[in-house]
Amino acid sequence: MSKKKVAILSAALVAVAGLGLAAATFKRSDDKILRVANQKGQVKAMMLASGALDGAPYRVEWSEFPAAQPLLEAVGGGAADLGLAADAPFIFAYQSGSPVKAIAVQAPANQAPEALAILVKNGSSIRSAQDLVGKTVATTRGSIGHHLLLQALERAHIPADRVKVTFLPPGDAKAAFDSGSIDAWSTWTPYTNVAVKEGARAVADAKDYGLPLYIDIAHDASIAPKRALLADFLQREAKAVAWARAHPDKFAAVLARETGLPLDIARASFARSNRISQPVDARVIAHEQAIVDRYRRAGLIDPKRDVAQAFDTSFGS
């Protein structure tokens, strides 16, 4: 791939709109507007492509983020009512005291390879988690990439402090990976899709550890006044996901247009993040508790909140 194309692709991946959180204050009692934080390639493109929001009795105002951490900061800070993020960053934010609640859960439809992986350059001597000792790995703090790294080290019986972790947002991590200033990058789709296309390879793949759940997360104070809007949006989101599953190529075309990703990357991104709704049950709670315990053992959090209380199950009734 030419340097020009790589530059364009990198810009498409990391461009972020709507980060002016200070200007994003709102009245939660406004029952005609739902503010939704969107992570690249997740919800907005599906809703637009499927027409799922057609006829909605409220207006959706979207804000865009490159990763779960800033998305959760927006929801937790009151700049958005709702956003979709993976399980690890959600529970990390919750245990850090953020006023957020999970109101719906989605699971990957299949164990797709390289949806979430620890990547190295093709010529790297790193072949497994054991080879990461003493190396520098970039990821985003509290992210699914961070959690995968901890899982891989745990399975290899390697203490977390034997690896140097550099916390970077995806755009900076990609630049560091491309320049060779880091040894490995623990990241997710669509960033994995792009890196693999450019010659990276996975040394640890989440399909071997269990792919993350995806969670619709609401600001606690938005739930009561905007319950009807949130419930309606969740129903429309489920229809949009089902539509995208049945029309992956049409969805990919809209995703490519919305994100600036090449069409093949957009198509692969959906194939690796296709998901289905799942009830909040004891298995989901246990899954989240295991993540909390892993972060605690790594010294990253001091959990004081009941994991079960992170879920508002009333939207599933």
Side-chain angles (χ1 to χ4, degrees):
M1 182 178 289
S2 70
K3 290 184 178 179
K4 182 178 180 181
K5 287 183 178 179
V6 170
I8 292 172
L9 186 54
S10 298
L13 282 170
V14 303
V16 184
L19 288 178
L21 301 186
T25 56
F26 60 91
K27 296 179 180 180
R28 292 191 179 91
S29 59
D30 187 343
D31 60 0
K32 298 299 182 182
I33 299 173
L34 189 66
R35 292 169 171 82
V36 182
N38 183 63
Q39 189 174 336
K40 195 173 291 292
Q42 289 199 338
V43 177
K44 184 181 178 183
M46 286 186 183
M47 300 297 261
L48 294 178
S50 65
L53 285 173
D54 292 352
Y58 51 88
R59 185 172 81 252
V60 173
E61 293 185 353
W62 299 97
S63 52
E64 296 291 331
F65 301 91
Q69 183 184 29
L71 181 150
L72 281 158
E73 289 172 357
V75 177
D81 299 305
L82 181 70
L84 184 78
D87 47 16
F90 161 67
I91 206 67
F92 189 91
Y94 177 78
Q95 288 295 354
S96 298
S98 181
V100 292
K101 288 274 190 177
I103 62 173
V105 174
Q106 301 171 40
N110 52 56
Q111 295 289 91
E114 297 165 351
L116 165 62
I118 301 175
L119 303 176
V120 298
K121 290 292 189 66
N122 195 40
S124 172
S125 62
I126 299 172
R127 297 287 170 183
S128 66
Q130 285 86 347
D131 298 328
L132 293 173
V133 173
K135 305 297 186 182
T136 300
V137 183
T139 193
T140 304
R141 184 178 180 86
S143 67
I144 50 176
H146 192 184
H147 183 242
L148 173 62
L149 176 61
L150 294 178
Q151 285 181 296
L153 296 176
E154 184 179 272
R155 185 175 291 186
H157 306 290
I158 298 170
D161 60 6
R162 297 288 303 281
V163 173
K164 181 181 178 181
V165 182
T166 299
F167 295 123
L168 296 171
D172 292 342
K174 185 180 190 309
F177 187 74
D178 290 345
S179 70
S181 61
I182 58 174
D183 299 299
W185 181 19
S186 191
T187 190
W188 52 90
T189 186
Y191 306 106
T192 50
N193 308 68
V194 175
V196 168
K197 183 178 180 179
E198 295 175 359
R201 57 180 171 81
V203 295
D205 194 314
K207 70 179 179 60
D208 300 321
Y209 296 83
L211 293 177
L213 300 174
Y214 290 88
I215 298 175
D216 285 288
I217 302 154
H219 190 287
D220 207 3
S222 294
I223 292 176
K226 295 199 174 184
R227 174 172 292 277
L229 277 66
L230 292 167
D232 181 81
F233 186 89
L234 292 178
Q235 292 177 356
R236 292 173 186 270
E237 182 187 11
K239 292 177 181 177
V241 173
W243 179 91
R245 188 179 303 115
H247 305 87
D249 293 326
K250 290 182 180 179
F251 165 67
V254 175
L255 179 60
R257 186 177 71 240
E258 283 290 307
T259 62
L261 292 170
L263 185 59
D264 61 333
I265 294 294
R267 181 65 177 81
S269 178
F270 172 71
R272 292 172 179 168
S273 61
N274 184 8
R275 53 192 185 267
I276 55 177
S277 297
Q278 176 173 320
V280 176
D281 55 20
R283 290 177 300 175
V284 170
I285 302 300
H287 177 86
E288 293 301 292
Q289 184 63 58
I291 297 173
V292 170
D293 293 342
R294 191 165 286 114
Y295 279 138
R296 176 186 54 77
R297 288 193 296 269
L300 293 162
I301 58 173
D302 179 19
K304 299 183 183 302
R305 305 174 82 181
D306 183 356
V307 170
Q309 295 303 310
F311 294 85
D312 184 327
T313 59
S314 64
F315 286 87
S317 60

